[in-house]
Amino acid sequence: VKIAVDAMGGDHAPDEIVRGALLYRHEGGSSDLVLVGREDAIRKLVGVSTPPGITIRDAKDVVGMDEHPATALRRRSDTSIGVATSMVKHGEADAVVSAGNTGATMAAALLVLGRIRGIDRPALCGMLPTTKGKPACLLDAGATMDADENNILQFARMASRFMEKVHGVDRPSVGLINVGEEPEKGGRMQLAAHALLEGAEDLNFYGNIEGRDVMRGITDICVTDGFTGNVLAKGMEGVVDVFVDGIRHDIFGGPLGKVAGLFALGGLAKFRSRMDYDPYVSAPLLGVAGISVVTHGRARANMMRRAIEVAERAVSTRLLDALGEGVASAA
Amino acid sequence: VKIAVDAMGGDHAPDEIVRGALLYRHEGGSSDLVLVGREDAIRKLVGVSTPPGITIRDAKDVVGMDEHPATALRRRSDTSIGVATSMVKHGEADAVVSAGNTGATMAAALLVLGRIRGIDRPALCGMLPTTKGKPACLLDAGATMDADENNILQFARMASRFMEKVHGVDRPSVGLINVGEEPEKGGRMQLAAHALLEGAEDLNFYGNIEGRDVMRGITDICVTDGFTGNVLAKGMEGVVDVFVDGIRHDIFGGPLGKVAGLFALGGLAKFRSRMDYDPYVSAPLLGVAGISVVTHGRARANMMRRAIEVAERAVSTRLLDALGEGVASAA
């Protein structure tokens, strides 16, 4: 398996991205990695002679976090994400991984790779930690704004294949995000989607779930339209930020707080490990004709290493075939 | 001012509700309160001779948290929320306050009080703490599922009047919840709503905000449709629960954690006070022809006391007139 890594994407690029690639190989990862980006910058980090299994592909340009992604990609042919995605298109790599601008990764995937035949709209997975100690797949986290009930049904099917193949979950359960548990809850779209999901015999449909159920791990998959999913994921992330900040500065910040912090080291480690989502936060964009794995913009080396592992599993378990055969043909 | 209090609504009813009413009076609250619910249960809590300013209105029935609200209200005429809301309708009270089933409070308000003439759809405020130390008004938190751009415009106007009148905020800023800051972001409805909000000269429109901006206090008002608002509010609440639980059990739970807790007492108090939303979590249902204040189902005495104060301010500042004149007539 050969994986193109966008070395220039993310808040801590290229340092942590390159470190993640080296870590992946160091920990025994067997896929060949191509680091795509400014060769001089990457070369400084990997050394003059690249380690075995790692090569560099020069790309001079980067799509910034604040740029309009599709415009940037159309105007500039030498961006790291554009080049890395083209490598997948041309069979020079089996997958692309990026911690960069999610919009740019999605735009590159759609422009360069296109959609899987029979899949109407793509969906982005937001992988979240739950109190049950297993991840939940929230989708669509922002790819398709005005999703209709048929899109939702395909999202549920794609996510089911993804959780089976890449996370080894047997018959993953699917919850429809709604304002209440009762089948008659929600707006027009949710009512129609509930009926379709309930009628789909290939799905393990649980029923409606509420916003608070996502982190409770009530279902393996939490399906919704890309607008709601994006707002929800960012809203939850905002609360996490507030609490992490509060724990750090209010609770353990002052002189007495620092003493408290020493006694709480074990507890903090326990809590942190329960909330650790490095291993699974990365996920492929579902519905595009190639494996394009999106990871968090805040990714550091360990998360990047895990993202490469996700890409590797998606390739080796033939996720794309499962999406093409199992989902597109069910329509 | 006379306020009808649904003594039977909420997780801690009637004990904490009645305690909240007594606390309100004890702290110098001048409104007369009518405790609506089972007289024998309430009598046990207030004593044989009710204190000055407090009376009891017997209502034998309660809408349960799991019941279908409108059905329950239509079938049973003697529920505490139904009777309390009817008192407002018939001029026997100026406002109703409830910590009970939000659906039942909304259904009672709509069935008994009806809408303000010229307001197309009602909206529920979710009042949230922010890191700026001031509350944000998230609406609609679940009253109107398939809101269109015209509803959103009315929601923004209603919330502006509410924040001015009840919370004394001068020219409250309005953010439209969206998936990105740029005006061209979002689905069809958000694009149309953005244009309408931008064109409304009576509003202090900030522009688009994201899910994470709600708790950052970027704007005083965060406006969205009732589906998105409900999912977002509950999703954020779910994260709060996970962290509160983690702080309590993981971080400060074990023997060393308990020692840490002693040193962290000051820090915990600081954090708790920053996140304290008792004073403002309660809000009237906007758009109905009467003041009906919804507070959190988890309300204890202090939150209930604050809810009564919110109702009092809504009455004394003539919020209903401002909604009727300022919003309905702007259409």
Side-chain angles (χ1 to χ4, degrees):
Chain A
V1 176
K2 194 179 225 177
I3 297 167
V5 176
D6 172 9
M8 312 310 286
D11 300 347
H12 308 292
D15 303 47
E16 293 283 330
I17 309 302
V18 172
R19 276 189 55 212
L22 296 172
L23 182 65
Y24 166 82
R25 292 289 307 183
H26 185 77
E27 296 289 323
S30 62
S31 295
D32 292 323
L33 306 183
V34 185
L35 298 172
V36 183
R38 292 198 195 101
E39 187 164 0
D40 52 345
I42 298 170
R43 182 69 68 192
K44 268 185 203 155
L45 296 163
V46 294
V48 182
S49 62
T50 47
I54 293 191
T55 52
I56 300 174
R57 170 73 169 264
D58 193 41
K60 297 265 175 273
D61 222 334
V62 176
V63 180
M65 290 307 265
D66 297 326
E67 278 190 280
H68 190 272
T71 311
L73 288 165
R74 281 201 191 87
R75 288 199 188 143
R76 311 207 306 267
S77 64
D78 203 29
T79 61
S80 56
I81 185 65
V83 170
T85 309
S86 295
M87 290 179 68
V88 177
K89 173 75 177 175
H90 299 121
E92 300 166 59
D94 301 297
V96 49
V97 178
S98 180
N101 183 328
T102 302
T105 307
M106 288 200 293
L110 285 167
L111 289 171
V112 176
L113 303 172
R115 278 180 285 106
I116 294 173
R117 205 187 164 88
I119 304 274
D120 298 318
R121 307 292 295 270
L124 184 66
C125 296
M127 298 296 293
L128 302 165
T130 73
T131 51
K132 292 213 173 148
K134 56 173 192 175
C137 172
L138 167 67
L139 89 166
D140 172 21
T144 298
M145 290 297 113
D146 291 306
D148 67 16
E149 56 272 24
N150 294 301
N151 300 142
I152 297 287
L153 177 62
Q154 282 198 334
F155 294 172
R157 285 182 164 139
M158 290 199 289
S160 295
R161 296 300 91 77
F162 164 66
M163 291 301 278
E164 279 166 13
K165 294 281 182 186
V166 175
H167 291 284
V169 179
D170 188 38
R171 282 187 59 74
S173 55
V174 175
L176 174 66
I177 293 184
N178 209 324
V179 300
E181 286 181 9
E182 305 83 348
E184 74 273 13
K185 287 278 182 174
R188 285 183 295 268
M189 193 281 272
Q190 289 76 30
L191 286 171
H194 190 281
L196 282 183
L197 291 167
E198 201 160 54
E201 290 181 3
D202 57 322
L203 291 175
N204 179 13
F205 183 51
Y206 169 89
N208 289 333
I209 57 171
E210 297 185 82
R212 64 169 70 93
D213 297 330
V214 176
M215 271 199 94
R216 288 182 188 166
I218 302 290
T219 55
D220 299 306
I221 294 161
C222 310
V223 72
T224 188
D225 64 279
F227 181 82
T228 307
N230 186 277
V231 168
L232 175 61
K234 285 179 181 164
M236 291 170 68
E237 199 179 323
V239 180
V240 171
D241 288 348
V242 166
F243 269 87
V244 167
D245 196 66
I247 290 172
R248 195 168 286 162
H249 298 110
D250 285 351
I251 301 180
F252 294 115
L256 281 176
K258 290 204 196 327
V259 179
L262 293 176
F263 284 101
L265 276 180
L268 282 163
K270 186 176 169 192
F271 185 58
R272 212 176 279 129
S273 75
R274 281 214 301 147
M275 291 291 112
D276 176 27
Y277 66 170
D278 272 17
Y280 53 79
V281 66
S282 313
L285 183 63
L286 298 176
V288 295
I291 300 294
S292 171
V293 167
V294 176
T295 191
H296 205 289
R298 295 178 188 172
R300 294 187 180 272
N302 193 55
M303 193 184 283
M304 205 58 208
R305 165 199 162 200
R306 300 298 196 169
I308 296 167
E309 290 174 358
V310 164
E312 183 184 73
R313 278 202 300 281
V315 174
S316 61
T317 59
R318 307 180 65 83
L319 175 64
L320 278 188
D321 292 347
L323 295 181
E325 293 158 15
V327 178
S329 64
Chain B
V1 176
K2 193 178 225 178
I3 297 168
V5 176
D6 172 9
M8 312 310 285
D11 300 347
H12 307 294
D15 303 47
E16 293 284 330
I17 309 303
V18 172
R19 274 189 56 211
L22 297 172
L23 183 65
Y24 166 82
R25 292 289 307 185
H26 184 77
E27 296 290 322
S30 62
S31 295
D32 292 323
L33 306 182
V34 186
L35 297 172
V36 183
R38 292 200 194 99
E39 187 164 2
D40 52 346
I42 297 169
R43 182 68 66 192
K44 269 185 203 158
L45 296 161
V46 294
V48 182
S49 63
T50 47
I54 292 190
T55 52
I56 299 173
R57 170 72 170 261
D58 193 39
K60 297 265 176 272
D61 221 336
V62 177
V63 180
M65 291 307 266
D66 298 325
E67 278 190 281
H68 190 273
T71 311
L73 288 165
R74 281 201 191 86
R75 288 201 188 140
R76 311 209 304 268
S77 64
D78 203 29
T79 61
S80 56
I81 186 64
V83 170
T85 309
S86 295
M87 289 179 68
V88 177
K89 173 75 178 177
H90 298 123
E92 301 166 58
D94 301 297
V96 49
V97 178
S98 179
N101 183 329
T102 303
T105 307
M106 287 200 293
L110 285 166
L111 288 172
V112 176
L113 303 173
R115 280 181 284 106
I116 295 173
R117 204 186 165 90
I119 304 272
D120 298 317
R121 307 294 295 269
L124 185 65
C125 296
M127 298 297 293
L128 301 165
T130 73
T131 52
K132 290 211 173 149
K134 57 173 191 174
C137 172
L138 167 68
L139 89 166
D140 171 19
T144 298
M145 290 297 112
D146 291 306
D148 66 17
E149 56 272 25
N150 294 301
N151 300 142
I152 297 287
L153 177 62
Q154 281 199 334
F155 294 172
R157 285 182 164 139
M158 288 198 290
S160 294
R161 297 300 90 77
F162 164 66
M163 291 300 278
E164 280 165 14
K165 294 282 181 186
V166 176
H167 291 284
V169 179
D170 188 38
R171 281 188 58 74
S173 55
V174 176
L176 174 66
I177 292 184
N178 209 325
V179 300
E181 287 181 8
E182 305 83 348
E184 73 274 13
K185 287 278 182 174
R188 285 183 295 269
M189 193 279 272
Q190 288 77 30
L191 287 171
H194 190 282
L196 282 183
L197 291 167
E198 201 160 53
E201 291 180 4
D202 56 322
L203 291 175
N204 179 12
F205 183 51
Y206 169 89
N208 288 333
I209 57 171
E210 297 186 81
R212 63 170 71 92
D213 296 330
V214 176
M215 270 199 93
R216 288 181 186 165
I218 303 289
T219 54
D220 299 306
I221 294 162
C222 310
V223 72
T224 188
D225 64 278
F227 182 82
T228 306
N230 186 278
V231 168
L232 175 61
K234 285 178 182 165
M236 291 170 69
E237 198 179 324
V239 181
V240 171
D241 288 347
V242 167
F243 268 87
V244 167
D245 197 65
I247 291 172
R248 195 168 288 163
H249 297 111
D250 285 351
I251 301 180
F252 295 114
L256 280 175
K258 292 205 195 325
V259 179
L262 294 176
F263 285 100
L265 276 179
L268 281 164
K270 185 176 169 192
F271 186 58
R272 211 175 280 129
S273 75
R274 281 216 299 147
M275 291 292 112
D276 176 27
Y277 65 170
D278 272 17
Y280 52 79
V281 66
S282 314
L285 183 64
L286 298 175
V288 295
I291 300 294
S292 171
V293 168
V294 176
T295 191
H296 205 289
R298 295 179 188 172
R300 293 188 180 273
N302 193 55
M303 193 184 282
M304 204 58 210
R305 164 199 163 200
R306 300 297 197 170
I308 295 166
E309 291 174 358
V310 164
E312 183 183 74
R313 278 203 299 281
V315 174
S316 60
T317 59
R318 306 180 64 83
L319 175 64
L320 278 188
D321 292 347
L323 295 180
E325 293 157 17
V327 179
S329 63

